[in-house]
Amino acid sequence: MHHIFFSFVVALCFGTRWAVAALTSGEIANSLNELAQQGFAAKELVLEINSTADAGPIPHIYTEIDTMVAVVLTDVKFMVNTPIITDQAEEQDVYEGYSNFIQSLLELMDALSGSAAQLKSINQTTKNRVPSEIRILQSAVDAYFYNIIGLFPANSSYNAQANNQKAQVDTHCFQAVWAFDLGYSNGNQATYQARSKSYVHSRWMKRGSL
């Protein structure tokens, strides 16, 4: 079902003929902070399941992730015409929202990594489903972060800092996937990393390509 959901969202981004409007910096900052709240909520849910060993709420993890993916892809669609931010106060607002969302993703991935053994023991389908959800989320936020970083002037300190934080998310996502399949060979690790990089460079998700 989650593959159908993701395919629908991608098709929506490709196939629609909407009149694309630019998001304001305030709207972007608000969306980032709302996404961060969802990320932290998903983390707390994972930790609760790990603590109680109750498999019942596991589908809610997927719902939280799928919702974040949908919001992120919608924002990417509407950021195409957003100009580079030149006002310092607006830069700071967007960067703070960006950092907040980044932190929520790092904590979510750490929670998934630390809970992998428990999740697999109470529901064996998580062994494949959770890594799949992580990859979908990672590919979406890669595009999202690419667009947001592009809003900061190239000589801005926020640009460099945001790039460094984006790299941390990539690392934590890989570690979370790895935690759910410790049987990966080195070759499979390389395959996953190469696939992740290909997501980052997908043309449909890059700023200005829609």
Side-chain angles (χ1 to χ4, degrees), residues 24-93:
T24 66
S25 59
E27 289 170 335
I28 293 170
N30 288 339
S31 184
L32 283 163
N33 284 312
E34 289 171 3
L35 283 164
Q37 291 178 9
Q38 284 187 287
F40 287 126
K43 177 205 73 173
E44 293 300 327
L45 180 58
V46 171
L47 294 177
E48 179 183 352
I49 294 170
N50 186 50
S51 175
T52 62
D54 178 8
I58 286 177
H60 297 306
I61 298 174
Y62 308 141
T63 299
E64 291 284 353
I65 292 176
D66 289 345
T67 301
M68 282 192 284
V69 169
V71 172
V72 162
L73 293 181
T74 299
D75 281 0
V76 169
K77 177 74 176 179
F78 287 100
M79 285 170 63
V80 173
N81 294 329
T82 301
I84 291 175
I85 302 171
T86 56
D87 181 86
Q88 189 170 6
E90 292 180 359
E91 274 190 87
Q92 183 174 349
D93 286 344

Side-chain angles (χ1 to χ4, degrees), residues 12 37 84 91 114 119 129 148 157-158 187 193 195 203:
L12 194 63
Q37 291 178 9
I84 291 175
E91 274 190 87
L119 290 173
R129 177 70 184 273
I148 290 173
S157 61
Y158 294 127
Q193 289 173 317
R195 182 165 59 244
R203 289 187 59 197

Side-chain angles (χ1 to χ4, degrees), residues 73-204:
L73 293 181
T74 299
D75 281 0
V76 169
K77 177 74 176 179
F78 287 100
M79 285 170 63
V80 173
N81 294 329
T82 301
I84 291 175
I85 302 171
T86 56
D87 181 86
Q88 189 170 6
E90 292 180 359
E91 274 190 87
Q92 183 174 349
D93 286 344
V94 171
Y95 179 73
E96 287 178 354
Y98 177 90
S99 295
N100 198 21
F101 185 32
I102 289 278
Q103 185 62 37
S104 76
L105 291 174
L106 297 180
E107 293 187 19
L108 173 58
M109 292 304 119
D110 286 348
L112 288 169
S113 296
S115 304
Q118 178 75 288
L119 290 173
K120 288 188 291 184
S121 71
I122 61 177
N123 186 329
Q124 293 184 354
T125 65
T126 59
K127 178 179 173 64
N128 295 316
R129 177 70 184 273
V130 172
S132 177
E133 291 283 343
I134 292 171
R135 291 186 183 104
I136 291 172
L137 177 61
Q138 182 186 10
S139 66
V141 298
D142 267 335
Y144 190 42
F145 294 157
Y146 179 93
N147 279 265
I148 290 173
I149 291 169
L151 297 178
F152 299 124
N155 61 351
S156 167
S157 61
Y158 294 127
N159 189 294
Q161 293 171 31
N163 267 300
N164 289 335
Q165 289 170 301
K166 177 180 175 296
Q168 292 177 38
V169 172
D170 291 338
T171 299
H172 282 247
C173 285
F174 171 72
Q175 290 171 340
V177 169
W178 174 251
F180 279 85
D181 194 349
L182 297 178
Y184 270 179
S185 67
N186 289 335
N188 283 334
Q189 292 182 49
T191 298
Y192 170 73
Q193 289 173 317
R195 182 165 59 244
S196 295
K197 289 179 181 178
S198 72
Y199 285 144
V200 179
H201 297 292
S202 296
R203 289 187 59 197
W204 70 271

